[in-house]
């Protein structure tokens, strides 16, 4: 399917009454599509996808369109949202340890590349902390410096052990045995019980 058809298909899945904080609606998307402004239309659809939960097929269509336009970050974001549609959303406020106190000396990529381990309170049969792996997406910035703080989204490789998390809970990030950062859970949303069509 070509880019305009993918964007049109995605736009048909957005309720007409949906609007962003800036009053962007699907009508605006159609306006850009009629003028072949595909990248702008994609960006607006991504924003509309944050207004309310939309089906998996919405994010899949956007991911395919972004890939065809060679927009790597948009494609990665849309694939991330596909994961969240299937598995739920975990957002946290992460503070990395300063470079002088931690092994990490370089910024971490914000685009879901890093897969650190997390101490989320689970224990092994012998009582040791059982670390769980989750990919990390830093919101609103391309990277996070050592000592920096930002809102992040987590995508566990195995979502089941993360089911107990609640807003306000503190978890720690590990890239080795030492603590690399501390996060406070901001939001936990279970997968929406909507059809994937």
């Amino acid at each position: 399917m070509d880019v305009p058809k993918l964007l049109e298909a995605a736009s048909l899945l957005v309720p007409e009454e949906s609007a962003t904080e800036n009053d962007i609606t699907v009508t605006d998307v159609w306006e850009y599509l009629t003028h072949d402004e595909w990248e702008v239309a994609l960006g607006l659809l991504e924003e509309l996808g944050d207004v309310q939960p939309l089906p998996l097929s919405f994010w899949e269509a956007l991911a395919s369109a972004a890939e065809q336009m060679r927009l790597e970050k948009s494609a990665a974001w849309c694939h991330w949202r596909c994961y969240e549609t299937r598995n739920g959303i975990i957002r946290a406020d992460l503070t990395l340890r300063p470079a002088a106190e931690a092994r990490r000396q370089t910024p971490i990529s914000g685009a879901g590349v890093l897969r650190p381990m997390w101490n989320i309170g689970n224990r092994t049969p012998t009582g040791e902390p059982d670390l769980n792996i989750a990919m990390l997406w830093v919101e609103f910035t391309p990277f996070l410096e050592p000592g920096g703080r930002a809102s992040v989204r987590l995508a566990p490789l195995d979502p089941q052990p993360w089911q107990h998390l609640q807003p306000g809970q503190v978890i720690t990030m590990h890239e080795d045995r030492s603590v690399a950062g501390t996060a406070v859970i901001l939001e936990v949303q279970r997968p929406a019980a909507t059809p994937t069509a």
Side-chain angles (χ1 to χ4, degrees):
M1 194 179 287
D2 63 6
V3 170
K5 296 280 186 219
L6 288 164
L7 295 174
E8 287 172 18
S11 68
L12 291 172
L13 297 170
V14 179
E16 286 185 39
E17 67 277 4
S18 286
T20 67
E21 289 180 3
N22 299 326
D23 291 325
I24 301 294
T25 67
V26 74
T27 304
D28 298 302
V29 173
W30 281 95
E31 193 65 32
Y32 284 105
L33 286 175
T34 60
H35 292 96
D36 294 332
E37 298 277 349
W38 302 341
E39 191 170 343
V40 176
L42 173 68
L44 294 179
L45 285 166
E46 287 177 14
E47 284 185 50
L48 285 165
D50 288 334
V51 174
Q52 68 185 65
L54 292 172
L56 180 59
S57 56
F58 171 84
W59 292 107
E60 289 172 337
L62 292 189
S64 293
E67 286 170 351
Q68 288 185 32
M69 288 189 285
R70 301 187 194 285
L71 301 172
E72 291 178 17
K73 184 153 186 193
S74 281
W77 175 244
C78 294
H79 283 296
W80 186 277
R81 294 305 304 267
C82 286
Y83 171 90
E84 289 183 336
T85 301
R86 287 188 301 270
N87 298 292
I89 297 171
I90 301 172
R91 293 182 61 248
D93 181 16
L94 173 65
T95 303
L96 293 181
R97 292 183 64 197
E101 299 174 14
R103 183 174 184 179
R104 174 168 287 281
Q105 302 295 303
T106 59
I108 60 173
S109 169
V113 176
L114 189 66
R115 295 177 179 209
M117 298 171 288
W118 297 87
N119 182 344
I120 59 174
N122 294 330
R123 298 280 177 201
T124 66
T126 60
E128 298 295 315
D130 189 11
L131 301 181
N132 300 90
I133 298 172
M135 294 181 291
L136 174 71
W137 189 286
V138 181
E139 295 182 317
F140 315 116
T141 185
F143 55 85
L144 183 59
E145 298 277 352
R149 179 179 173 186
S151 295
V152 298
R153 294 171 100 103
L154 303 177
L157 296 187
D158 178 5
Q160 188 59 39
W162 297 70
Q163 297 296 311
H164 69 281
L165 291 181
Q166 299 292 325
Q169 189 171 347
V170 177
I171 62 175
T172 56
M173 182 179 117
H174 300 258
E175 292 186 85
D176 56 21
R177 290 184 181 265
S178 63
V179 173
T182 303
V184 178
I185 300 297
L186 299 173
E187 174 185 2
V188 178
Q189 288 183 25
R190 305 294 177 235
T194 57
T196 59

